[in-house]
Amino acid sequence: MGSQYLSNEELLVELAEIGDYQGSRFDWSGFITQVRLKAGNHTFCVFEKETSPFLTGGAGICNEFGLMEAIGFEEIGMGDYFPKLGVGLLKREDELKYAFYKAYPISPFSIEVTNNGQQSVQYVVQPKECNGYAAKLVKQLSIQGASLRIDYSLHNIGSKVIDTNEYTHNFIGIDGHSVGPDYCLKFSFPLELELMEKVYTPTILLLSGNEVKWSKKPNHEFYCRLKGFPENQQVQWELTHTPSGVGVRETSSFPASMIAVWGASHVVSPEVFIHIHLNPGEVQSWTRTYDFFSS
């Protein structure tokens, strides 16, 4: 597995080479495997599962398009292909509904990488037409000080409407500390818990106003969605390991269509979704900025 880096006086960002990740779920471009805050040598990224291979599982900061519903999936039959943005054309092998966790055969998109010095890199995911769907994705990662900025631009160059969502699965484990009462997750406005996946999730997550905390170290994966966020405001969340004061903050440039929190004993992932609707010929752009800090 190869790596490339963005680096300045404050941050070191490790990026997977195209093809290091070979799964059918997450965007292959700009796949961040580690972020290191040089002052104090603090790390932020972990694997999705402690024992899972990187080739198919998530890691670090990686994004996904169409978590719940794949573009064009319901229009095709067995043996046909559908597009997974950022990945390639995936093959439908049965009559079951689309499942984000399933490993579909892939015909990968071509991805061009342009390095702009040590502090910026651009990825262009070239389209393959598939049943009238075709989209070009341009993603640029850049660092300034202790901030990492990701700019996305999706171009619909096909003949059909693209209606989907995108989010970043942030696999965060600050300095390898286990998840539990030492962590605090703050949002930029008060929220409420809803759609908790497991019966034990309400006993693990404690929500008060805009703060999510943990009553204990979780023994299983947990998941919930959050409601009550403004429909017209950008979202900011901040995850801090309270004893050390080390943390990360993400600020989005768009109003959220959904907010979720997933995790396990070694990882926390706040997830902010954007709704994407593109008529043929249209372009949609958005930005996520991550600030890494130590008090």
Side-chain angles (χ1 to χ4, degrees):
M1 184 176 73
S3 298
Q4 64 179 108
Y5 300 90
L6 298 179
S7 181
N8 63 12
E9 293 182 355
E10 298 186 47
L11 281 186
L12 179 67
V13 178
E14 182 177 334
L15 303 164
E17 297 283 0
I18 301 300
D20 284 349
Y21 170 76
Q22 297 178 6
S24 59
R25 180 179 180 185
F26 297 112
D27 186 346
W28 288 23
S29 69
F31 198 116
I32 299 167
T33 55
Q34 188 58 271
V35 177
R36 188 178 303 274
L37 188 61
K38 292 183 178 180
N41 198 34
H42 299 292
T43 59
F44 296 87
C45 297
V46 296
F47 291 107
E48 176 181 0
K49 296 183 183 296
E50 292 179 291
T51 58
S52 69
F54 167 71
L55 293 178
T56 55
I61 300 173
C62 54
N63 67 305
E64 177 183 11
F65 291 89
L67 172 66
M68 284 77 74
E69 184 177 351
I71 297 170
F73 184 82
E74 298 299 330
E75 303 172 20
I76 62 172
M78 289 188 296
D80 295 330
Y81 286 84
F82 62 97
K84 179 74 169 182
L85 299 180
V87 179
L89 304 184
L90 309 187
K91 186 176 182 181
R92 184 172 184 175
E93 297 183 295
D94 51 45
E95 294 296 335
L96 299 176
K97 293 183 178 181
Y98 173 74
F100 65 85
Y101 50 81
K102 181 177 178 179
Y104 293 91
I106 307 168
S107 175
F109 292 136
S110 173
I111 302 176
E112 300 171 358
V113 184
T114 303
N115 294 295
N116 302 308
Q118 291 187 320
Q119 299 182 36
S120 179
V121 59
Q122 184 183 80
Y123 299 84
V124 179
V125 184
Q126 297 291 355
K128 288 184 179 181
E129 193 279 334
C130 182
N131 303 318
Y133 296 104
K136 181 174 74 171
L137 172 64
V138 180
K139 184 191 295 186
Q140 180 162 315
L141 281 67
S142 56
I143 57 174
Q144 183 174 7
S147 295
L148 165 67
R149 175 172 168 146
I150 308 176
D151 291 283
Y152 310 79
S153 185
L154 188 66
H155 305 243
N156 184 356
I157 61 173
S159 59
K160 290 184 178 179
V161 173
I162 293 175
D163 194 87
T164 187
N165 59 32
E166 184 270 354
Y167 74 105
T168 301
H169 212 318
N170 305 293
F171 296 102
I172 305 297
I174 298 172
D175 286 329
H177 294 296
S178 296
V179 176
D182 285 344
Y183 278 87
C184 180
L185 174 62
K186 293 182 180 180
F187 287 89
S188 48
F189 29 66
L191 295 166
E192 298 177 49
L193 295 174
E194 69 169 351
L195 294 175
M196 288 174 277
E197 187 175 55
K198 304 291 186 181
V199 294
Y200 56 79
T201 299
T203 69
I204 295 172
L205 294 185
L206 306 173
L207 175 60
S208 177
N210 67 332
E211 292 187 356
V212 178
K213 295 185 178 181
W214 286 258
S215 62
K216 59 183 178 180
K217 178 181 176 180
N219 296 319
H220 307 282
E221 292 183 7
F222 56 87
Y223 176 83
C224 72
R225 296 182 189 175
L226 299 171
K227 65 179 181 178
F229 53 89
E231 296 182 356
N232 58 352
Q233 291 184 25
Q234 64 184 29
V235 180
Q236 184 180 91
W237 60 260
E238 179 178 296
L239 180 67
T240 306
H241 178 254
T242 306
S244 65
V246 179
V248 54
R249 181 187 310 111
E250 180 195 346
T251 305
S252 62
S253 66
F254 51 87
S257 61
M258 189 175 83
I259 300 176
V261 179
W262 174 90
S265 61
H266 72 292
V267 58
V268 180
S269 180
E271 303 167 358
V272 180
F273 288 72
I274 179 174
H275 178 234
I276 296 169
H277 184 91
L278 287 172
N279 293 315
E282 290 184 340
V283 180
Q284 187 168 341
S285 300
W286 64 100
T287 300
R288 302 175 188 273
T289 302
Y290 293 83
D291 296 300
F292 302 88
F293 59 87
S294 174
S295 61

